[in-house]
Amino acid sequence: MIDIWLILRILIFPGFAFILLLTLFCDWVERKFEARIQNRVGPMVAGPAGILQPLADFIKLLTKEDIEPRDSKRIVFKFAPLVAFTIMVFAICFLPIDGASVLSTGGFNGDLIIILAFSTIASFLLFLSGWASCNPYGTISAARVLTQFMGYDIPLFLIALTPAFIVGSLSIFTIASGVTLASGQTIPIILLAPWAFVLFIITMQAELEKDPFDVPDAESELVGGLETEFTGAKLAFLHLTRDVQIVFGSALVVELFLGGPYGPVFFGVPAFWYSLWFVLKLLAVVIITEYITTLFARLRIDQVLSANWRILLPAAILSLMLTVALVTWVYPLV
Amino acid sequence: MTNTVTWSRVKSPWVLHFNSGACNGCDIEIVALLTPKYDVERFGIKLEPSPRHADVLLVTGCVTQQCAERLKRVYDQMPQPKFVVAIGACACSGGVFAGNYNVVGGVDKVIPVTAYIPGCPPRPEAMIDGVVKLLNALNPPKPKKLSKQEKQEEERKAKEANHAVALPEVTIKPAIEESKPNVKQ
Amino acid sequence: MSNNKIDIISVVQSKLKDKVEIQLGQLGTAAINTTNGLHRDVLKAMIDADEKTGLTAITGLDLGANLGILYHIHTSNDFITIRAEVPKNNPKIQTIVDLIAGAAFHELEVSDLFGVIFEGNELKGHLVLSENWPEGIYPLRKDVIANEVKLVPAPEERKPPEMGKLVKIIIGPQHPALLEPEKFVVTVDGETVTKVEPRIGYVHRGIEKASETRTYVQDVYLVERICGICNACHAYGLVAATEKILKTQVPERAKYLRVIDLEFNRLHSHLLTLGHAGLEIGYETLFQYFWRDREPIMDLIELISGNRVYASLMTIGGVRRDLKETDFPKIKTTLEDLRKKIPFYRQVYENEPSIKARMKNVGTLSREDAIKLCVVGPVARGSGYDIDVRKDDPYEAYGEIPFNKIVYTEGDTWARMNVRMDEVEESINIVLYALDHMPSGPFRVDVPRNVLAGEAVSRNEAPRGELFYYVKSNGTAFPERVKVRTPTFANIPSFLKTAIGENIADVPPNFVSLDPCFSCTDR
């Protein structure tokens, strides 16, 4: 028997349509914020205050001519962007957005690992698309993407385990619900492990390839980076994949550290309030990452890698050890 | 459906800048368009690095012999629909350098041009005016219905304008080239 | 610096006695007439006597049956021109590349445009002419009508980049990092650069040849458009050289007004480069801030002349327009506002970790290399080589206005950017002093239309370095020869050297720090 309710949830809310609109909205927020920091105004003409600008970009790209270079690897070139986009959307579907996720009401133990694995696969597909375009700029950029995200995945996983340790479970729902104190109050993880929050934001900045870790997309040396040869619909999906990655990364921060969608419910249906808190917290994290982007220049690839292996990885290990120690000896007293 | 497509193309024109042998005057005014005083990102204009991503090719410079072939190649790499804007007196006709050896003289001797913006260099306001006129030509806004008083006001202004100094006009050639069947490069 | 001024002329006179003819006061401090081979001896004598001897330019001349070659040499205190001639049917002369390393490109240009063969110079191919220019026809010779030359089809150059260990990355001609078209083929081994091969000539518009068919006044407008960024300096170069031939006395007020025009040029150019450097290292916010602060300067240029970019104030005999006293307060307040913002930018360059990570120890040029390669401008002053034409050879009112020469010793990209930042402050001081001490009087004098026969050189300090002009007149209203040597032309060899061994990601900041202007280089 077909569950109409489930299909509506998948397609519209909080599924595909909601995620798409949220992505376009976050793109607009980023552009306006960056413009304001730079003393400018940003998009103003497409829709009121330019809010339809990302939608206009997307539709325009869909209707452009699709050029395939003769030397490119056909199948990968054609489908890698679309598959990457699909996987990222699928990963978001595991996160609790309005109290329940798109696919299930309670999640399962271990879905944190699965969605982190999905994000790695999506990044790998981005590397493949750069490699498949067989353009020297694309190849070098793809190599940088690979080096960067594989290096930063390790501290990412380690720091993502910190909330899991505190809560004692690998299920996102449980982590998002926060910790229940002896007095009955639930508090988000950020209050228990603020150092992990800071490290996670930095690592996420590198995973999402934003300044100062913007290396694969370095316009001044590599022209268009791994997107150089893509046009039309494929370029639209590449851009969308990048934006969905940003939403996914920010959503992960919200779920792991900021207490997910849970917050005070004032009246009416709790699902409405949970979605509202989720979107507000997501926007706060998006603004924080965009703020860091505008503040810094772009580092070189060797500086990015040395920041990873020499600073972030030891810091991640230390953070984990500190959290385990606190959980075992200090927090049970609270 | 075509309305939405045209709307999206007009609201999101991505720009590629190519210097085909210019003195840099027009180029620094083009880069100045992105800065806080003029800010063309309001119109959705983004400066793209790769020809494959751009819709509008902004060409400055009097097209030297060395650049002519590269200009053609960059133009061919752009996907349809695409437009070319020739910025500056040199791009329109060769400018001060017309007739020199090594100078082809004017962008329209190499690739088809949609809009010409004269000036040496044209002010950023003139460039924005040219871009807005180009976008309006693609998606003309519906004319407002004027009341009798407003019509009289318009005629009075038109009479006064005839006495003012004539400013260089931005000329636009008609029509968008619709895409031909996808030719594999 | 030694206190005794080295008297180069007496050194040359004592070493070569009667073999050469020395004309004092011509083309700089002196012009020395030599022949093929002797020019090397004179140069060697000068280099042995003074370690700061360097080459400014090599001018080619068409003298009818012979081709003239002028070597313009600068020493610690003097500016000497060495003349040599070769017959047109056998235009061979010995190279000076082994004596002065920075001479390679200068010689290649003369052989490209005049057909002189420099024996011992290994560079081949066209420097500024296009690939479809026929061999054996030299456009700057008088007997060639250049715009009627039939072009040949360009040779095929479709070589795929080699995959494997060494990859050739081509930067340009269309590239987001470059405002202008030039091609650099960068060979990388992994991420390290092993070789850089430039191909310039994409912006060659044949200005030197075109200037021979226009009058001097028309040439001021033509030559101004060699570069939109340092346009006042180009106009000044031509005008100053012509005035030296005419022996015109420029009125005092005009001199101060010219200084104001040149310093505005320097201000807007330095702010442009500082912002552009931010764009290269991915620091868009800094780029937007610098260009936001550059806009008031453009408004000032428009205030004094009517046009944002091309002020066109210079003319032979003075300046074209006067500056009203009622405009002085606006200029002063704008400059004071700009001065208040400089500490913020200085503090960004001092403390911002990502800028220091990307700019420190990148593209380091030692002082010895700077002298050997004859670099000029902020590139030289950032490496401890303290040359500045405004101080070494004062022109216009610079001799009367107090200001500091800015020198940093680190020699890397960071140092060069700081030189420019400090020069912004110095320029503000110069303009404010000039406004306060502006003499009254006429702002131009009349000059005859036909310029009597003669030749002269002029040097001035453009934002990018020393700009050199040589003008030869023949008694008519049209110049016989106008030769321009732009500062970027002198600085490119230093880039080819400093890029080797660095990361490919360091190439854009290194490149921008020498402030390249290829429309200047190609003319």
Side-chain angles (χ1 to χ4, degrees), chain C residues 2 19 44 67 78 202 246 375 402 421 438 448 456 479 510:
Chain C
S2 59
K19 289 195 237 171
K44 232 185 279 187
L67 289 173
D78 295 309
Y202 287 79
L246 287 170
V375 297
M421 186 105 69
M438 177 84 68
N510 184 8

Side-chain angles (χ1 to χ4, degrees), chain B:
Chain B
M1 187 57 193
T2 9
N3 277 344
T4 322
V5 169
T6 322
W7 169 86
S8 76
R9 282 177 184 169
V10 164
K11 294 295 180 197
S12 160
W14 286 359
V15 153
L16 176 75
H17 160 243
F18 186 73
N19 176 329
S20 68
C23 69
N24 280 337
C26 301
D27 305 289
I28 53 181
E29 298 290 69
I30 291 179
V31 178
L33 286 179
L34 304 168
T35 55
K37 187 168 176 185
Y38 299 105
D39 195 16
V40 283
E41 204 191 345
R42 291 176 291 155
F43 303 107
I45 298 180
K46 268 201 322 189
L47 197 62
E48 285 293 314
S50 163
R52 302 243 188 242
H53 300 177
D55 309 309
V56 181
L57 181 64
L58 297 178
V59 191
T60 58
C62 61
V63 192
T64 53
Q65 289 290 348
Q66 190 81 330
C67 270
E69 208 216 314
R70 275 84 183 168
L71 178 60
K72 184 95 187 37
R73 237 186 266 173
V74 167
Y75 178 72
D76 287 337
Q77 281 177 342
M78 288 169 64
Q80 294 278 9
K82 51 191 172 185
F83 313 96
V84 176
V85 179
I87 294 190
C90 291
C92 295
S93 67
V96 183
F97 310 113
N100 288 359
Y101 74 92
N102 218 44
V103 167
V104 174
V107 176
D108 50 10
K109 298 204 167 75
V110 182
I111 54 178
V113 176
T114 325
Y116 298 85
I117 304 182
C120 189
R123 292 181 62 97
E125 286 94 337
M127 290 186 205
I128 297 181
D129 186 40
V131 166
V132 169
K133 281 200 172 133
L134 172 67
L135 296 177
N136 278 345
L138 303 176
N139 191 19
K142 291 197 248 326
K144 247 176 26 179
K145 272 182 148 26
L146 300 170
S147 71
K148 193 160 176 218
Q149 231 178 356
E150 285 173 336
K151 274 197 197 144
Q152 282 173 345
E153 185 69 28
E154 289 278 322
E155 280 168 25
R156 187 185 62 81
K157 278 195 190 150
K159 262 199 202 152
E160 270 181 28
N162 278 334
H163 294 292
V165 176
L167 296 165
E169 259 293 310
V170 173
T171 51
I172 307 233
K173 275 183 16 200
I176 310 168
E177 277 177 50
E178 264 313 325
S179 41
K180 303 190 210 100
N182 187 4
V183 176
K184 294 262 191 305
Q185 303 284 341

Side-chain angles (χ1 to χ4, degrees), chain C residues 200-221:
Chain C
I200 63 177
Y202 287 79
V203 199
H204 181 64
R205 291 151 287 167
I207 292 186
E208 289 183 358
K209 180 84 180 178
S211 62
E212 294 167 12
T213 50
R214 290 161 169 74
T215 65
Y216 285 89
V217 175
Q218 286 173 331
D219 274 337
V220 174
Y221 294 102

Side-chain angles (χ1 to χ4, degrees), chain C residues 55-75:
Chain C
L55 176 74
T56 296
I58 303 182
T59 306
L61 284 175
D62 186 340
L63 301 167
N66 290 348
L67 289 173
I69 305 164
L70 302 178
Y71 295 86
H72 303 280
I73 313 282
H74 62 265
T75 60

Side-chain angles (χ1 to χ4, degrees), chain A residues 31 38-45 53 56-57 60 63-67 70 223 227-231, chain B residues 5 8-9 11-12 14 34 36 39 41-44 46 49-50 52-55 77 79-81 182 185:
Chain A
R31 279 174 78 162
Q38 292 172 355
N39 234 183
R40 301 183 289 123
V41 214
M44 288 290 282
V45 167
Q53 185 66 50
D57 289 340
K60 179 209 71 167
T63 59
K64 294 273 285 183
E65 179 192 0
D66 223 334
I67 299 182
R70 180 180 44 204
V223 191
E227 300 171 358
T228 317
E229 289 287 349
F230 287 91
T231 62
Chain B
V5 169
S8 76
R9 282 177 184 169
K11 294 295 180 197
S12 160
W14 286 359
L34 304 168
D39 195 16
E41 204 191 345
R42 291 176 291 155
F43 303 107
K46 268 201 322 189
S50 163
R52 302 243 188 242
H53 300 177
D55 309 309
Q77 281 177 342
Q80 294 278 9
N182 187 4
Q185 303 284 341

Side-chain angles (χ1 to χ4, degrees), chain C residues 373-406:
Chain C
L373 294 170
C374 311
V375 297
V376 292
V379 180
R381 293 197 281 281
S383 295
Y385 181 24
D386 56 343
I387 47 167
D388 185 338
V389 184
R390 297 175 291 169
K391 286 275 190 201
D392 301 334
D393 192 4
Y395 52 97
E396 298 308 299
Y398 281 111
E400 300 157 17
I401 303 181
F403 66 98
N404 301 325
K405 212 193 292 196
I406 313 286

Side-chain angles (χ1 to χ4, degrees), chain C residues 490-510:
Chain C
N491 285 343
I492 289 188
S494 76
F495 169 65
L496 301 182
K497 191 164 165 80
T498 56
I500 297 181
E502 304 240 324
N503 202 307
I504 175 82
D506 284 332
V507 166
N510 184 8

